[in-house]
């Protein structure tokens, strides 16, 4: 009996400790760095061509492009999963060349999902009474407003896997954009001015001028 009385509290303590450890791990697992390449993919292309393919991939899925640069891209999409829930996805893409002059680019992508809930607030009506003053009554109109209730980076690998597959598909239709070095470009020809144009006019040969003087 004594052993049983000691084992029951010990088992309960171990169960509580295990639950606390599991809860702590589940709350911090998204804050750790992993070795998996969920948010990156390498493509045999330049920065401009890779970002152009990413832009077409987002446009094909209903995203509105809010920011677009040669190597940075940002798109936004809105949807409503439930009657009183509104959600938005902000997709960020960064294209970085693996090395200078190489034909290989790494595309970094991450999507942040914000959720909004419809909240109703009652507004009371006030009535003025001469003897008492203003009295607020509980009846009135209701105002609806969207309030952000959650914001999280989408962690699933399948979501980004589908995006990278679309980028690879559109990369075949994007024309190859070669990076041109500014130092290698030649200066455009200078236009001719009236002074320089007059200098280019050749004078008559000496023999023809001598014949004209004899005549």
């Amino acid at each position: 009996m004594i052993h049983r009385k000691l084992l029951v509290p010990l088992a309960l303590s171990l169960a509580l400790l295990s639950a606390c450890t599991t809860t702590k791990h589940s709350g911090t697992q998204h804050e750790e760095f992993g070795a998996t390449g969920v948010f990156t993919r390498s493509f045999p292309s330049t920065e401009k061509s890779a970002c152009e393919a990413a832009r077409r991939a987002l446009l094909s899925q209903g995203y509105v492009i809010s920011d677009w640069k040669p190597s940075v891209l940002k798109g936004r999409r809105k949807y409503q999963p439930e009657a009183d829930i509104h959600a938005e996805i902000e997709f960020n893409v960064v294209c970085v060349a693996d090395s200078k002059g190489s034909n290989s680019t790494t595309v970094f992508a991450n999507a942040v999902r914000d959720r909004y809930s419809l909240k109703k607030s009652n507004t009371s009506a006030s009535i003025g009474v001469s003897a008492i003053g203003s009295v607020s009554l509980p009846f009135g109109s209701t105002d609806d407003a969207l309030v952000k209730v959650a914001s999280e980076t989408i962690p699933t690998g399948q979501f980004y896997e589908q995006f990278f597959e679309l980028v690879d598909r559109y990369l075949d239709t994007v024309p190859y954009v070669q990076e041109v070095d500014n130092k290698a470009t030649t200066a455009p020809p200078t236009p001719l001015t009236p002074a320089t144009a007059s200098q280019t006019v050749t004078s008559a040969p000496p023999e023809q001028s001598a014949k004209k003087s004899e005549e």
Side-chain angles (χ1 to χ4, degrees):
M1 293 295 295
I2 298 175
H3 292 289
R4 290 181 180 179
K5 291 181 180 180
L6 293 176
L7 288 176
V8 171
L10 181 60
L12 292 175
S13 300
L14 291 175
L16 291 174
L17 181 61
S18 177
C20 294
T21 305
T22 305
T23 305
K24 183 179 180 181
H25 177 71
S26 62
T28 59
Q29 62 180 351
H30 297 293
E31 301 175 2
E32 299 176 356
F33 287 92
T36 59
V38 177
F39 305 95
T40 63
R41 180 69 62 85
S42 182
F43 295 94
S45 174
T46 61
E47 296 180 3
K48 294 182 180 179
S49 298
C51 267
E52 175 61 22
R55 185 178 74 93
R56 298 185 184 188
L58 292 179
L59 288 174
S60 68
Q61 300 302 309
Y63 284 84
V64 177
I65 305 302
S66 57
D67 189 9
W68 181 31
K69 296 178 182 179
S71 59
V72 178
L73 183 66
K74 182 179 294 185
R76 184 179 292 272
R77 178 184 176 183
K78 301 178 181 181
Y79 62 98
Q80 192 169 356
E82 299 177 10
D84 55 348
I85 297 295
H86 175 77
E88 294 184 3
I89 294 180
E90 185 180 80
F91 209 103
N92 303 285
V93 179
V94 178
C95 304
V96 181
D98 293 338
S99 61
K100 185 176 180 180
S102 66
N103 189 26
S104 179
T105 301
T106 300
V107 177
F108 300 87
N110 77 304
V112 179
R113 177 170 51 206
D114 298 332
R115 294 175 64 89
Y116 299 85
S117 179
L118 188 63
K119 301 295 183 181
K120 296 183 179 181
S121 59
N122 296 325
T123 57
S124 59
S126 59
I127 300 176
V129 182
S130 59
I132 303 176
S134 61
V135 178
S136 298
L137 300 178
F139 60 87
S141 60
T142 58
D143 296 333
D144 298 339
L146 289 173
V147 180
K148 183 186 288 188
V149 295
S151 181
E152 182 185 11
T153 300
I154 299 178
T156 57
Q158 185 179 2
F159 178 80
Y160 300 100
E161 186 71 21
Q162 295 174 353
F163 166 72
F164 289 132
E165 288 179 358
L166 279 177
V167 173
D168 193 13
R169 185 185 308 172
Y170 280 99
L171 195 61
D172 297 334
T173 62
V174 174
Y176 179 78
V177 180
Q178 178 66 39
E179 302 291 341
V180 180
D181 192 359
N182 295 329
K183 296 181 181 180
T185 57
T186 58
T190 55
L192 294 176
T193 61
T196 57
S198 61
Q199 294 178 3
T200 57
V201 178
T202 58
S203 60
E207 296 179 355
Q208 294 181 1
S209 60
K211 291 181 179 180
K212 290 183 180 180
S213 62
E214 290 176 0
E215 293 176 355

